[in-house]
Amino acid sequence: MGSLPQVASPRSPLQAPTYGNLITVLSIDGGGIRGIIPGTILAFLESQLQKLDGEEARLADYFDVITGTSTGGLVTAMLTTPDPSNDNRPLFSAKDINDFYLEHCPKIFPQDRTPFAPAANLVKSLTGPKYDGEYLRNIVREKLGETRLHQTLTNVVIPTFDIKQLQPKIFSSYEVKNNPCKNALLSDICIGTSAAPTYLPAHQFETKDSAGKVQEFHLIDGGVAANNPTLVAINEVTKEITRGNPDFFPIKPDDYTRFLVLSLGTGSQKCEEKYPAQMAAKWGLLGWFTCEHSTPLIDVFMQASSDMVDFHNATVFKALKSEKSYLRIQDDTLSGTVASVDIATKENLEELVKVGENLLKKPVSRVNLETGKFEPINEGTNEETLVRLAEVLSKEKRRRDMRSPLGKQLAAKKK
């Protein structure tokens, strides 16, 4: 296909998928401080879009849905919250994400370096959350302000889990239209989805609709339900297609060939450094909740959640002969402190930046459905694939601009 004319600028809102060929989805896993890894990937992708469409280009200009769990939910909000002081462009550019983590994570997860720290942490884990969460609540409220879910610059989907009702609560731009009580402050949603059990306290808040109906939420980390939220986002889009939403072209709800999905993991431990049965067989309640740099039970169910979603998507896209429409970037070779979610020392955070930079240079890999390991598939490096993805996203945006009423109006003005 030849090049498409640039009808509207990257600053124009992303036109509905019905004017294009694709439904674009960006998904970001949970993982605490390891959010630096996808932050590095996103900064590179946005830089490539800026090379194509100008320095003002932002990820929210290209993705129909951005979804994130826990730390990924925070990144989602950062990328999609409008900045009133900057013509309502995104509050954060992708390159700002890591700066935010490097500055604030040491205060969100303060480290005790005294000789008695291991014993103190053990006592804390038995009597309450390891961190009080006060700094996280304050900084998130300061940055996101009064922005509510319906005000994001593109559609967002952020999973949480309601501990009082023992069921997932999905905060979705699409659902707000049908359930105004879910139109919560983004800050409350982010604090809730980040409240990892044993690490940060659960978060309670309430909303009220125009009729005065009050709904309470008692939230913990969305990773309990969907640490990899890719499938949740696809499901939200599918529901809209089923409802006949005119924003979507008339396709079958399960036609994955029209989806273009970028799913970013936050890394996991290499296989030989996970928990052998000989070790786990000796654990009682305390053992499942305390290990040198992690909480095994939390690691297990969050890793299982992420991997099951990846297994599903990899299988479906492969069956539909549309494997190139699903790109999962994940590093399953982490070891030591970089595999933790909360060891926020300056040295460890900087090492995570290097992990993300090295991941860009690694070959594109796909999960082996038999072994669970990521294996190279001879399609170049992640960096090279993201360059190609940027080109696809840019062309899709221009295509929509050209076909949409807004694009036609702008084109007519130029004549």
Side-chain angles (χ1 to χ4, degrees):
M1 178 183 289
S3 61
L4 294 168
Q6 181 71 53
V7 178
S9 76
R11 295 174 65 94
S12 63
L14 181 61
Q15 302 302 300
T18 193
Y19 300 114
N21 293 346
L22 302 168
I23 301 170
T24 53
V25 179
L26 169 61
S27 176
I28 309 152
D29 283 15
I33 61 171
R34 300 200 311 263
I36 287 174
I37 297 174
T40 305
I41 306 297
L42 292 171
F44 178 80
L45 175 59
E46 191 170 87
S47 72
Q48 296 308 302
L49 290 166
Q50 290 169 346
K51 288 179 181 179
L52 296 168
D53 294 331
E55 287 299 313
E56 291 300 316
R58 297 290 184 267
L59 293 171
D61 300 326
Y62 298 88
F63 286 99
D64 294 305
V65 188
I66 301 181
T67 182
T69 297
S70 192
T71 196
L74 178 57
V75 172
T76 296
M78 292 166 70
L79 295 173
T80 61
T81 295
D83 182 358
S85 67
N86 186 25
D87 197 24
N88 282 323
R89 296 297 291 151
L91 185 64
F92 288 82
S93 65
K95 65 181 176 60
D96 296 328
I97 294 170
N98 281 3
D99 290 340
F100 177 90
Y101 275 72
L102 291 168
E103 178 181 354
H104 297 292
C105 279
K107 300 170 187 175
I108 296 171
F109 303 111
Q111 301 297 296
D112 183 352
R113 296 194 178 191
T114 67
F116 305 104
N121 288 335
L122 176 59
V123 171
K124 278 185 180 180
S125 68
L126 294 174
T127 59
K130 190 174 179 181
Y131 307 99
D132 62 23
E134 183 176 353
Y135 186 86
L136 174 64
R137 291 191 294 273
N138 289 340
I139 193 65
V140 168
R141 285 169 175 156
E142 175 190 326
K143 297 298 183 182
L144 302 184
E146 296 300 309
T147 305
R148 291 190 176 270
L149 183 58
H150 78 285
Q151 296 173 305
T152 56
L153 296 171
T154 190
N155 297 297
V156 303
V157 177
I158 302 177
T160 68
F161 190 85
D162 194 304
I163 191 69
K164 187 175 182 180
Q165 297 184 359
L166 286 181
Q167 66 178 26
K169 280 286 188 295
I170 310 300
F171 288 88
S172 161
S173 300
Y174 300 113
E175 284 298 317
V176 164
K177 303 167 190 174
N178 303 307
N179 185 358
C181 279
K182 283 195 175 178
N183 191 27
L185 291 170
L186 273 182
S187 58
D188 279 326
I189 297 171
C190 287
I191 295 166
T193 193
S194 301
T198 76
Y199 291 96
L200 290 163
H203 183 53
Q204 188 273 332
F205 64 93
E206 60 183 39
T207 60
K208 184 184 295 184
D209 66 14
S210 58
K213 179 183 177 183
V214 174
Q215 182 167 345
E216 286 189 355
F217 298 93
H218 300 258
L219 304 183
I220 62 171
D221 197 322
V224 173
N227 202 50
N228 175 347
T230 309
L231 202 55
V232 177
I234 291 175
N235 184 58
E236 287 296 302
V237 171
T238 300
K239 286 194 293 185
E240 290 303 297
I241 295 172
T242 303
R243 290 168 176 161
N245 186 331
D247 283 350
F248 297 94
F249 31 71
I251 64 172
K252 295 179 180 179
D254 60 350
D255 188 354
Y256 277 43
T257 61
R258 302 295 286 273
F259 282 91
L260 179 64
V261 179
L262 172 60
S263 176
L264 302 180
T266 55
S268 65
Q269 285 178 298
K270 55 186 177 182
C271 289
E272 60 269 24
E273 293 203 5
K274 296 177 184 176
Y275 312 109
Q278 296 93 323
M279 178 192 297
K282 301 175 184 178
W283 289 342
L285 184 63
L286 189 60
W288 278 100
F289 279 92
T290 56
C291 199
E292 184 180 3
H293 297 305
S294 61
T295 303
L297 188 61
I298 306 297
D299 286 351
V300 167
F301 69 67
M302 288 193 175
Q303 192 62 47
S305 169
S306 293
D307 287 349
M308 288 300 292
V309 170
D310 189 30
F311 291 165
H312 171 88
N313 285 328
T315 302
V316 170
F317 279 91
K318 183 176 182 179
L320 294 173
K321 302 186 186 303
S322 188
E323 290 174 281
K324 291 188 178 180
S325 295
Y326 173 63
L327 175 61
R328 172 73 170 168
I329 299 181
Q330 171 71 312
D331 189 333
D332 62 351
T333 66
L334 302 187
S335 62
T337 57
V338 291
S340 77
V341 298
D342 69 322
I343 300 182
T345 62
K346 181 175 183 292
E347 299 80 13
N348 198 42
L349 296 174
E350 290 175 349
E351 191 63 31
L352 284 167
V353 174
K354 294 177 184 177
V355 170
E357 292 171 346
N358 291 335
L359 185 54
L360 284 168
K361 305 298 183 183
K362 289 185 176 182
V364 176
S365 299
R366 201 162 284 146
V367 66
N368 182 313
L369 300 179
E370 295 296 325
T371 66
K373 294 181 180 180
F374 279 79
E375 299 176 351
I377 57 173
N378 299 316
E379 289 188 6
T381 64
N382 289 316
E383 191 173 73
E384 292 167 341
T385 300
L386 289 169
V387 170
R388 294 192 293 269
L389 176 63
E391 293 171 352
V392 173
L393 291 170
S394 177
K395 286 182 179 179
E396 174 69 9
K397 178 171 171 54
R398 282 180 276 162
R399 181 181 293 111
R400 296 187 194 184
D401 286 342
M402 183 172 63
R403 295 175 179 173
S404 70
L406 174 62
K408 291 176 181 177
Q409 290 174 12
L410 292 173
K413 289 181 180 180
K414 290 181 180 181
K415 290 183 180 180

